[in-house]
Amino acid sequence: MAETSERHSFFVRITHWLTTLAFLALLVTGLELVVSHPRFYWGEVGNVNTEPLFKIPIPASRSLVPTGYGYTLPDQNGWSRYLHFQSAWLLVLTGLVYVGVGLWRGHFRRALFPTRSDLSSKRLMGSIGEHLRFRKPGAEEAWSYNVLQRLAYLLIIFVAFPLIIWTGLAMSPSLVSAFPWTVNILGGQQSARTLHFFLTGVLVVFLAVHVFMVILAGFWSRSRAMITGRAGAGQERV
Amino acid sequence: MSKLTRRQLIAAGAVTVAGAGGLAVAAKIARRYGLVPPDSGGIYGPGATLTYAAQRLLTRHSMAREFSRGQISAKPLQNEVAPLGDEFRRLEKAGFADWRLSVDGLVTRPGLFSVAELKSFPRRSHITMVQCEEGWSYIAEWEGVPLSHVLGLVGTAPQATHVVYRSFQTDWWESMDMADALHPQTLLTHGMNRGELPVGFGGPLRMRVTRQLGYKSVKYITSLTVTDNIKQFGKGLGSASPESGYAWFAGI
């Protein structure tokens, strides 16, 4: 098997970086779109005449929104929308390839599902303790994910990303005309928008922790493993 | 990439060739079945094309969600409108008696319709959401004559692919494909919430395209042109929206 000689297989590496690219583009353009109406609502509808669930205290790019600031930011919605949806396609298609190939090759079972012993309270508490003390991971973790890492990746891949894609699609007036339940069970179009924003927060927190852990474990060796596939010198398979 | 074998290289080459060939065939089929939007060029063309093609395959005949009377927004948002000028004020003072909608292009009987005539045509109403690309929304009851009725009256040619519609605000023009033009919810709207359509919401005549964002529901409609060559209008991108950087298809 090719995977025994590589830390990360080619399909994991390429889908990882395509997802990174798509996610960063979605994040930047998504935040740009929020600037045009930095107010969030619950239910079907919301506008400046209705009470928001919460507001973000930033100036807006449209004069319609009463922000309390005496100026508006430059409006960048045109290209932001184009790029947001193009990146969403990249994310979704990459995700489909990742999940499809991953299932076919047993990637999730082998690399991500925790073993029964992993889930014992002793092992779990031990791993949580190591994380809380910011302990640099041992050599064995250059080749395998620890239990918290596995659970975090599974939650992001199979819960957070599907939810943010779903809430995004639930804002599409055309798509919900054919599949109204996709927005109805979320409580309405504005609820979908608000949930989409919260889920962005979840993914940003994940990204921050993920990058922090990579730095803690050794930024160059871990990044090289995800770029070239090689774990690097001094990190022979144990 | 330390361990690329010859077999892998050949396989990768075969996949690339097959992929490129597949894309070329897909593009040809997509064009033939009207799945390519007019703004399909440029760096955002792939995303815009995937979106439009997917929506036309999945949602060609679907109806936008309709709401109950109780869900109508108590305070709908009157979007900012650029000053409409003296000519508009004159028309408004006369109760829009002189307002005309011209219909031309690929039709057998081009014509001019007054608002009163349009109001005498069969009416349909629906309680639907207006969703702005900025993120806000409201629900209102809209009443008007289905665009399909007017297109039938003037005798639209079967090869028509798009309807271009223009506003009294001359820098605002849009177009839609026949799936939307013949859609039962697409109305030349003259009433709102069981009254006249206020000027602030697009009166005397507004196009309501229910399955797309608000910017396709153009206010102050003055003319329609039926065409089978959308590229000949403006800069060839389908409407004024892509010319100012916004997607032509706003169904997302």
Side-chain angles (χ1 to χ4, degrees):
Chain A
M1 257 174 40
E3 297 207 358
T4 52
S5 58
E6 289 177 324
R7 170 61 189 106
H8 299 294
S9 63
F10 180 68
F11 111 85
V12 165
R13 277 152 29 215
I14 192 89
T15 51
H16 174 272
W17 291 114
L18 286 175
T19 303
T20 309
L21 180 71
F23 178 72
L24 291 178
L26 282 159
L27 182 64
V28 170
T29 53
L31 292 177
E32 207 300 309
L33 295 174
V34 165
V35 171
S36 68
H37 197 83
R39 294 159 61 97
F40 289 86
Y41 311 90
W42 197 255
E44 281 294 355
V45 293
N47 56 61
V48 291
N49 290 341
T50 62
E51 197 56 42
L53 190 65
F54 63 94
K55 294 184 255 190
I56 304 174
I58 54 170
S61 63
R62 305 292 172 96
S63 52
L64 190 74
V65 192
T67 58
Y69 295 87
Y71 58 95
T72 52
L73 295 171
D75 173 21
Q76 304 290 328
N77 274 24
W79 67 266
S80 294
R81 297 182 65 82
Y82 265 126
L83 183 56
H84 198 75
F85 303 134
Q86 179 146 300
S87 308
W89 273 107
L90 179 62
L91 184 88
V92 167
L93 295 177
T94 303
L96 288 175
V97 168
Y98 173 74
V99 171
V101 175
L103 286 174
W104 181 46
R105 297 173 60 160
H107 171 68
F108 302 117
R109 190 169 32 78
R110 194 177 53 246
L112 290 181
F113 288 171
T115 60
R116 199 168 286 271
S117 63
D118 267 348
L119 290 175
S120 71
S121 56
K122 188 167 162 244
R123 285 280 286 276
L124 270 175
M125 294 313 287
S127 187
I128 290 170
E130 282 172 20
H131 279 84
L132 287 180
R133 278 176 275 128
F134 297 130
R135 242 191 54 187
K136 189 175 162 72
E140 76 284 356
E141 284 192 22
W143 287 96
S144 173
Y145 298 134
N146 66 60
V147 58
L148 288 190
Q149 205 175 0
R150 287 171 186 242
L151 292 174
Y153 291 173
L154 286 174
L155 277 175
I156 290 300
I157 295 163
F158 291 108
V159 180
F161 269 117
L163 281 179
I164 203 163
I165 293 164
W166 173 14
T167 52
L169 289 172
M171 283 187 269
S172 156
S174 189
L175 199 78
V176 302
S177 69
F179 310 102
W181 58 269
T182 56
V183 62
N184 290 341
I185 62 175
L186 295 175
Q189 191 266 336
Q190 290 293 342
S191 301
R193 179 171 177 262
T194 300
L195 290 169
H196 196 69
F197 180 72
F198 286 152
L199 286 159
T200 306
V202 170
L203 288 173
V204 167
V205 168
F206 169 78
L207 176 68
V209 173
H210 180 56
V211 171
F212 177 76
M213 296 306 289
V214 167
I215 292 169
L216 190 69
F219 185 77
W220 291 114
S221 73
R222 290 295 156 92
S223 301
R224 187 175 52 227
M226 193 46 97
I227 294 167
T228 66
R230 279 171 301 178
Q235 300 207 304
E236 292 311 307
R237 189 168 189 116
V238 287
Chain B
M1 298 274 289
S2 50
K3 294 186 183 76
L4 254 189
T5 64
R6 176 181 306 195
R7 210 179 65 179
Q8 280 173 319
L9 269 177
I10 292 171
V15 166
T16 309
V17 171
L23 274 180
V25 172
K28 200 157 191 173
I29 292 172
R31 222 169 291 277
R32 170 140 179 224
Y33 289 96
L35 301 178
V36 179
D39 57 344
S40 66
I43 48 170
Y44 303 124
T49 306
L50 279 169
T51 300
Y52 179 62
Q55 292 289 7
R56 276 300 162 261
L57 291 172
L58 291 171
T59 70
R60 183 172 293 266
H61 299 294
S62 60
M63 293 290 144
R65 291 186 305 153
E66 296 193 24
F67 298 89
S68 69
R69 199 146 273 138
Q71 287 173 286
I72 292 176
S73 301
K75 285 186 275 181
L77 187 67
Q78 194 168 306
N79 207 353
E80 289 161 272
V81 173
L84 290 157
D86 293 340
E87 171 67 3
F88 190 91
R89 269 198 292 278
R90 190 186 65 73
L91 287 162
E92 187 179 5
K93 225 170 234 167
F96 296 114
D98 295 329
W99 190 278
R100 291 292 178 274
L101 171 74
S102 82
V103 187
D104 58 19
L106 280 181
V107 297
T108 45
R109 296 173 293 276
L112 282 174
F113 298 91
S114 68
V115 177
E117 264 178 293
L118 292 168
K119 283 181 177 169
S120 73
F121 293 153
R123 295 173 176 212
R124 193 191 187 287
S125 70
H126 49 64
I127 301 170
T128 49
M129 184 187 289
V130 170
Q131 223 176 301
C132 179
E133 55 86 23
E134 294 172 19
W136 53 268
S137 56
Y138 64 88
I139 292 171
E141 181 167 5
W142 306 93
E143 186 175 33
V145 51
L147 176 61
S148 61
H149 180 82
V150 176
L151 294 178
L153 279 180
V154 296
T156 298
Q159 70 269 31
T161 58
H162 293 84
V163 174
V164 174
Y165 47 109
R166 301 180 193 82
S167 170
F168 185 85
Q169 298 171 302
T170 47
D171 54 349
W172 204 12
W173 63 282
E174 268 296 345
S175 70
M176 60 181 132
D177 63 11
M178 297 315 281
D180 272 324
L182 300 176
H183 191 270
Q185 287 175 325
T186 301
L187 305 180
L188 280 161
T189 309
H190 48 66
M192 177 183 176
N193 293 339
R194 313 204 126 183
E196 295 286 305
L197 180 63
V199 168
F201 289 93
L205 202 58
R206 178 176 195 174
M207 189 68 81
R208 269 293 284 140
V209 185
T210 56
R211 300 180 301 171
Q212 298 200 43
L213 294 174
Y215 68 82
K216 298 296 271 195
S217 290
V218 174
K219 294 165 177 163
Y220 321 117
I221 296 293
T222 54
S223 75
L224 309 176
T225 301
V226 179
T227 182
D228 65 349
N229 179 14
I230 190 64
K231 295 276 187 189
Q232 71 181 322
F233 297 88
K235 294 179 184 165
L237 298 173
S239 69
S241 299
E243 292 177 8
S244 54
Y246 284 79
W248 172 79
F249 180 71
I252 317 178

